[in-house]
Amino acid sequence: MRKPNHDPTLTVLNFNPQIKGVGRYFPVRVMRWEGSLWLLSKDAEAALGWSYGTLTAHLSTRLPGDAWGYANVLTERGRELLRFVSLAGLKATVTRTRDRQSWAFRRWLHTLA
């Protein structure tokens, strides 16, 4: 992922797993870059129900470097360097997950364009 030539803006999408035992929404911050959707990896990790660092390990070992990257984004706390994963890369990462929350997240990913 190359550095955007404009200031990327974040949009928040809410993921609701709609499964018994998980009664909350997960905010997932996304940005559009070069026509594709990129999701903040920290938010995607929480929505999947994975512990911190699990998605990072998957990204570095299973995906090519152009499927994930870093962007310097203006947030409430100022400029931050955040890690993003492409929609296609995230779909490829969660294809073999087996728990219910991950299945629900995978179905939600297919609704995004």
Side-chain angles (χ1 to χ4, degrees):
M1 178 176 169
R2 292 175 293 130
K3 182 181 177 185
N5 58 1
H6 65 284
D7 191 21
T9 57
L10 296 178
T11 307
V12 178
L13 302 176
N14 287 315
F15 163 63
N16 182 6
Q18 298 178 346
I19 57 177
K20 187 175 182 178
V22 180
R24 70 181 203 116
Y25 287 90
F26 294 91
V28 179
R29 291 170 281 185
V30 300
M31 76 171 179
R32 284 226 177 256
W33 185 63
E34 290 187 351
S36 61
L37 195 64
W38 291 75
L39 292 85
L40 187 65
S41 65
K42 180 181 178 182
D43 294 346
E45 198 169 52
L48 283 163
W50 292 357
S51 61
Y52 183 75
T54 305
L55 183 59
T56 304
H58 284 280
L59 295 178
S60 61
T61 59
R62 296 184 180 168
L63 288 179
D66 61 347
W68 62 280
Y70 295 90
N72 195 1
V73 180
L74 184 62
T75 64
E76 305 86 34
R77 294 184 287 178
R79 291 222 166 263
E80 292 186 67
L81 188 64
L82 302 174
R83 184 178 45 247
F84 288 88
V85 60
S86 68
L87 180 61
L90 191 55
K91 285 180 183 178
T93 303
V94 298
T95 54
R96 290 178 247 148
T97 58
R98 296 181 182 213
D99 59 354
R100 294 179 313 150
Q101 188 168 337
S102 296
W103 284 352
F105 186 70
R106 186 173 46 202
R107 283 192 306 271
W108 181 73
L109 287 177
H110 287 293
T111 65
L112 302 177

